Amino acid sequence: MKTRILIIEDERTALHALSLLLEDEGYGILKAERGEDGLRLALQQEPDLILLDIRLPDVDGITVLQRLRAGYSDAAVIVMTAETTSANAIRATQYGAFDYVSKPINDEHLLLLIRRALEYRALEKTVRQFRQTPPNPSIRGIIGHSPAMQEVYKLIGRVANSNATVLITGESGTGKELVANAIYEFSSRCHGPFVKVNCAAIPENLLEAELFGHEKGAFTNALSRRVGRFEQATGGTLFLDEIADLVPSLQPKLLRAIQERTIERLGGNTPISVDVRLVAATARDLAECVARGQFREDLFYRLNVVTISLPALRDRREDIPLLVQRFLARSERPVDIRPDALDRIMRHSWPGNVRELENTITRAIVLAPGGLITPDCIQLSGRAPSRPEASPHLSHREGFWNVIRRVEERLLRDALEETRGNKAEAARILGIQRRLLYEKLNEFGIG
Ligand SMILES: Nc1ncnc2c1ncn2[C@@H]1O[C@H](COP(=O)(O)OP(=O)(O)OP(=O)(O)O)[C@@H](O)[C@H]1O
Ligand SMILES: [Mg+2]
């Protein structure tokens, strides 16, 4: 199809001359002598480029330009003006014109500008299309290229543009909130609001009003009407974090909101329809909560339409060097890490996952002498690695002191294992005096 140019120009002779020139160049021509006619043609005919005279009989050219940019057309616009230095010409580019030409018009110059504007527009279109196809979300703050994370990226890409409810699971610190953000950012709802509610952080008696809002006078302190988080999220995404902690009394209300897409404010009895995409997250095993009767099964199924399970860091150790490198790069001063320090990081079990790693690196950067991280700078949490045998089965029938001794021994052995026999560090991690550590090691006959 021919490239089409709309000329909006009230001087007949100029309009005629321009259309002849451009027709000769092989462009299809649309003509308007008034601003309103020009806008209508722009909307109906979708030209590729618009030549706009700034002085028009009905509306001024800048107003036409503003309306064009406000959604009438995505055509490239070149403004024609009598005075080059006029503020109008500058304003024109500010308001989104590609360029402006001064009258009398130099044909060669105009043709060159037109070609450039059209090329630019084609490029812009490609970029826009590129933006619409979900790029690899790993660039959005989520780090990791292990196969397990690749699966996560694929899922994010697949669910982002649907309205399906997503349940994100994974241990603490595995990046559930990052993923919730990514789902929102890559969705078609990215221009709507992203509203976050932490179900565990809000006191039970306030959570209902927080989620669903209330009418004036709904309860003693309800002095005015309040719009809840659900309503705030209309047109966007509602992220319910720590969903397993949602109190049983609110579970049926959430279920209803999901099923019927309507809510009621406290003290109100008109259902309000809400167009909200739900993303929920929990570090707890929701199915187990259902089995224990703490979470409604029907709600579980409603939330669990698509599940994204985030891998624990210890199950994707190949991502650790990359994570370390990225966290180091955030430092203001250049820092490097010694191979034996990285080795220490690789061996740790990271019960607190990426959050723990991030914090450890942040601390290490502060401690690094001369910008080089040595194993001493890596302060690992005293928490025992999360292996099943780490929590010895205890029974009160063994007697108080026997149980205490067993726990003590376990703690010592774990700390030594983690520090690979470094007693000073083991004492530091355990928060006890070195002397006490030696006494206890003797007591238990640990070498
Ligand atoms: N894959 C990742 N790449 C980069 N940073 C990450 C990644 N995963 C987690 N983080 C970082 O770790 C920290 C914890 O992440 P986030 O809050 O998303 O975890 P979470 O799973 O919601 O944890 P919790 O269950 O404790 O709320 C954040 O600072 C986040 O930026
Ligand atoms: Mg979280």
Side-chain angles (χ1 to χ4, degrees):
M1 203 171 96
K2 262 188 186 178
T3 303
R4 288 185 312 166
I5 298 179
L6 166 65
I7 311 170
I8 310 178
E9 163 69 270
D10 61 322
E11 279 171 57
R12 289 247 168 103
T13 39
L15 182 60
H16 187 64
L18 276 172
S19 38
L20 284 183
L21 172 76
L22 298 176
E23 258 164 10
D24 272 358
E25 291 293 316
Y27 297 117
I29 302 300
L30 302 160
K31 293 184 261 190
E33 292 180 21
R34 300 165 57 83
E36 289 296 347
D37 297 338
L39 282 168
R40 191 176 36 77
L41 274 178
L43 190 64
Q44 290 168 352
Q45 304 286 328
E46 300 179 4
D48 302 285
L49 187 136
I50 300 172
L51 281 179
L52 173 66
D53 186 15
I54 210 119
R55 244 179 315 163
L56 294 167
D58 52 342
V59 272
D60 91 289
I62 291 293
T63 313
V64 175
L65 178 60
Q66 282 176 308
R67 283 171 60 188
L68 283 172
R69 284 297 86 112
Y72 270 76
S73 166
D74 65 351
V77 178
I78 295 175
V79 165
M80 301 180 289
T81 163
E83 317 111 70
T84 346
T85 54
S86 78
N88 269 350
I90 297 165
R91 278 226 325 263
T93 41
Q94 267 177 355
Y95 284 126
F98 175 77
D99 211 331
Y100 55 88
V101 287
S102 48
K103 290 178 178 180
I105 284 166
N106 174 322
D107 291 355
E108 285 311 309
H109 179 58
L110 179 66
L111 291 176
L112 183 76
L113 266 188
I114 289 176
R115 276 197 294 275
R116 253 201 261 150
L118 288 171
E119 269 169 31
Y120 182 78
R121 180 170 176 267
L123 193 71
E124 217 180 29
K125 249 190 170 162
T126 326
V127 171
R128 216 177 308 134
Q129 275 162 2
F130 173 74
R131 286 210 187 108
Q132 276 162 4
T133 54
N136 189 343
S138 66
I139 56 172
R140 292 287 175 110
I142 309 178
I143 303 163
H145 45 212
S146 55
M149 287 309 285
Q150 298 286 353
E151 282 308 308
V152 170
Y153 301 151
K154 272 190 231 160
L155 265 178
I156 294 174
R158 240 176 269 152
V159 299
N161 270 331
S162 74
N163 272 333
T165 302
V166 182
L167 179 66
I168 308 168
T169 61
E171 289 178 14
S172 176
T174 46
K176 294 185 291 294
E177 193 164 343
L178 277 186
V179 168
N181 275 315
I183 292 173
Y184 162 69
E185 275 182 43
F186 286 105
S187 72
S188 49
R189 293 175 166 258
C190 63
H191 300 295
F194 181 70
V195 177
K196 191 192 140 181
V197 179
N198 185 328
C199 301
I202 297 167
E204 210 176 307
N205 55 338
L206 300 183
L207 188 57
E208 182 170 8
E210 181 78 21
L211 282 173
F212 302 111
H214 60 71
E215 294 294 345
K216 184 176 173 176
F219 45 87
T220 328
N221 289 324
L223 300 177
S224 59
R225 193 173 86 183
R226 170 155 176 220
V227 167
R229 298 297 202 162
F230 250 101
E231 268 179 90
Q232 282 173 14
T234 284
T237 304
L238 179 63
F239 174 39
L240 297 176
D241 205 358
E242 320 270 5
I243 190 74
D245 294 276
L246 186 69
V247 285
S249 65
L250 288 184
Q251 292 178 14
K253 293 192 172 154
L254 177 59
L255 181 69
R256 215 186 114 194
I258 298 176
Q259 277 174 339
E260 294 165 26
R261 301 272 157 202
T262 59
I263 56 135
E264 265 170 37
R265 297 192 192 118
L266 258 86
N269 39 24
T270 26
I272 300 164
S273 70
V274 281
D275 163 34
V276 167
R277 197 267 177 90
L278 269 185
V279 176
T282 177
R284 288 168 59 186
D285 184 340
L286 211 49
E288 200 184 301
C289 295
V290 171
R292 283 211 225 102
Q294 295 159 343
F295 204 85
R296 283 179 72 117
E297 190 171 17
D298 44 8
L299 180 56
F300 171 63
Y301 285 118
R302 282 288 173 169
L303 292 172
N304 196 17
V305 178
V306 180
T307 309
I308 301 184
S309 325
L310 297 184
L313 187 55
R314 65 183 164 281
D315 295 332
R316 53 177 187 111
R317 284 181 195 273
E318 64 265 48
D319 283 336
I320 293 179
L322 182 67
L323 282 158
V324 170
Q325 187 199 328
R326 295 287 180 82
F327 294 150
L328 288 179
R330 288 183 196 163
S331 158
E332 278 163 18
R333 58 179 182 136
V335 264
D336 207 350
I337 184 161
R338 241 169 57 184
D340 51 352
L342 187 61
D343 189 49
R344 193 147 181 246
I345 291 173
M346 293 298 286
R347 284 159 186 267
H348 186 53
S349 63
W350 302 108
N353 294 293
V354 186
R355 181 186 288 114
E356 186 189 358
L357 178 63
E358 195 177 14
N359 293 339
T360 304
I361 297 297
T362 307
R363 249 180 285 132
I365 291 171
V366 177
L367 297 173
L372 183 66
I373 294 175
T374 58
D376 297 343
C377 309
I378 312 289
Q379 302 185 341
L380 298 171
S381 65
R383 265 206 273 171
S386 51
R387 286 173 284 122
E389 69 270 22
S391 46
H393 193 77
L394 303 174
S395 161
H396 61 282
R397 294 193 170 273
E398 274 182 69
F400 184 82
W401 293 112
N402 287 332
V403 173
I404 295 293
R405 273 177 58 90
R406 276 182 56 194
V407 173
E408 278 181 340
E409 187 178 347
R410 176 90 255 161
L411 290 176
L412 291 176
R413 287 190 188 278
D414 279 346
L416 282 173
E417 188 192 315
E418 191 183 314
T419 63
R420 284 189 283 158
N422 183 331
K423 292 178 188 132
E425 207 185 340
R428 195 186 46 70
I429 288 178
L430 290 168
I432 59 174
Q433 302 237 319
R434 228 179 290 180
R435 194 164 41 83
L436 179 61
L437 182 93
Y438 282 107
E439 278 172 23
K440 290 286 171 191
L441 292 180
N442 269 334
E443 195 182 328
F444 297 120
I446 303 174

